[in-house]
Amino acid sequence: MKVTFTAYHAVAEWKWDLPEDSDDTCGICRVQFEGTCAKCKYPGDDCPIMIGECTHCFHMHCISDWLHSESSQGKCPMCRQPFNQKVAEAPAAPLRTPGGVAAGS
Amino acid sequence: MLKIWSMKQAQQKEETAQGPAKKKKVTAAQLRVQKDLSELALPQTMKTTFPNPDDILNFILTLTPDEGLYKSGLFTFSFAITQNFPHEPPKVKCQQKIYHPNIDLEGNVCLNILREDWKPVLNLNAVIVGLQFLFLEPNASDPLNKDAAKDLQEDRDRFRRNVKTSMGGGNVRGETFDRVMK
Ligand SMILES: [Zn+2]
Ligand SMILES: [Zn+2]
Ligand SMILES: [Zn+2]
């Protein structure tokens, strides 16, 4: 039997590379990290995730709104430690695709 | 090989060209409140009502304690949520004039998570559980009604009697309270 493909739909799946045992939703807007904050329309690079030194993660837009509010006093809304973005490893490869398929820009 | 990003960009461009959609926009606060309300697990002693069903940011919570000193009372609280929610806590007020160490005569509520301890990861359920707790365990520390706090601290029996009197619409220390017996 000979099979000829006439068309196919490629489907890619991606996930943020977050610290182990972190929640899968943002505690501020309660939407999954792979979805967007309430202000954004397009998930992914347009609505990135910010990881704190305390390992708590939020949509960047959500946490920056909080940090700009007076009542936050610069503290993480989960653990109340001063919120500082975790540097190094995290920003390098935000996208992880299964099977090594690159979905880069 | 995968064109999702360029497709996305094209889509974005198209929408910018068309201008923002005309339909009524659901705000971030509304979305979050919707989620909180859908996760609400209210016990039999509490219920929410929405005077304006189109406005989920303003609602009434009815509390009817079935134990403790405030048992058999019916208390209502107005919840007013701003567009800044969850960055700002909801504004909660007791709609009756009651005798309670943590609620003043105007209905303002002293609950740490409604003030200095608010954080956006807290939800409406946490606030409601907190209110319920105030009626089971009124506390004399950090009071809004100093007379009631003093009664509670010095003589629990006197406090209990005063609660009863006030709930029946009676007079305590020169103040007349609302009748709240259901
Ligand atoms: Zn978020
Ligand atoms: Zn966003
Ligand atoms: Zn934290």
Side-chain angles (χ1 to χ4, degrees), chain B residues 33 35-50 59-64 66 75 77 79 123-133:
Chain B
V33 169
K35 285 204 160 60
D36 277 22
L37 289 173
S38 70
E39 287 166 5
L40 225 52
L42 292 181
Q44 295 245 311
T45 53
M46 297 199 264
K47 74 170 204 281
T48 51
T49 39
F50 293 83
F59 61 90
I60 307 291
L61 175 79
T62 305
L63 177 59
T64 51
D66 60 358
F75 308 93
F77 291 87
F79 275 64
N123 58 14
L124 292 175
N125 208 52
V127 173
I128 289 172
V129 168
L131 286 177
Q132 188 187 29
F133 185 73

Side-chain angles (χ1 to χ4, degrees), chain A residues 10 27-28 30-31 38 41-43 46 62 65-66 71 77-78 80 103-104, chain B residues 2 5 8 11-12 15 28 31-32 35 86-87 117-123:
Chain A
I28 297 176
R30 312 238 164 205
V31 173
K41 258 185 139 165
Y42 302 100
D46 291 341
C62 293
D65 277 355
W66 167 243
S71 40
M78 290 286 219
R80 296 194 164 273
Chain B
L2 294 177
W5 302 118
K8 200 176 74 172
Q11 195 182 3
Q12 260 169 320
E15 285 190 12
L31 283 172
R32 176 56 210 273
K35 285 204 160 60
H87 299 293
D117 287 338
W118 173 257
K119 43 188 182 175
V121 296
L122 289 173
N123 58 14

Side-chain angles (χ1 to χ4, degrees), chain A:
Chain A
M1 189 175 77
K2 211 171 175 185
V3 177
T4 314
F5 286 99
T6 52
Y8 72 94
H9 292 282
V11 177
E13 191 188 61
W14 63 274
K15 264 189 152 348
W16 292 109
D17 206 354
L18 300 176
E20 268 174 61
D21 62 67
S22 53
D23 288 340
D24 52 10
T25 53
C26 168
I28 297 176
C29 66
R30 312 238 164 205
V31 173
Q32 293 196 335
F33 287 126
E34 281 75 26
T36 67
C37 77
K39 288 182 184 163
C40 290
K41 258 185 139 165
Y42 302 100
D45 293 338
D46 291 341
C47 188
I49 307 302
M50 195 178 256
I51 306 171
E53 278 171 359
C54 56
T55 76
H56 290 129
C57 314
F58 306 94
H59 290 119
M60 188 185 83
H61 302 133
C62 293
I63 187 69
S64 67
D65 277 355
W66 167 243
L67 293 174
H68 281 106
S69 78
E70 224 173 277
S71 40
S72 77
Q73 299 174 304
K75 290 177 183 164
C76 171
M78 290 286 219
C79 62
R80 296 194 164 273
Q81 297 180 66
F83 190 90
N84 292 306
Q85 188 178 8
K86 195 172 161 193
V87 279
E89 74 249 310
L95 292 178
R96 189 172 67 203
T97 45
V101 180
S105 46

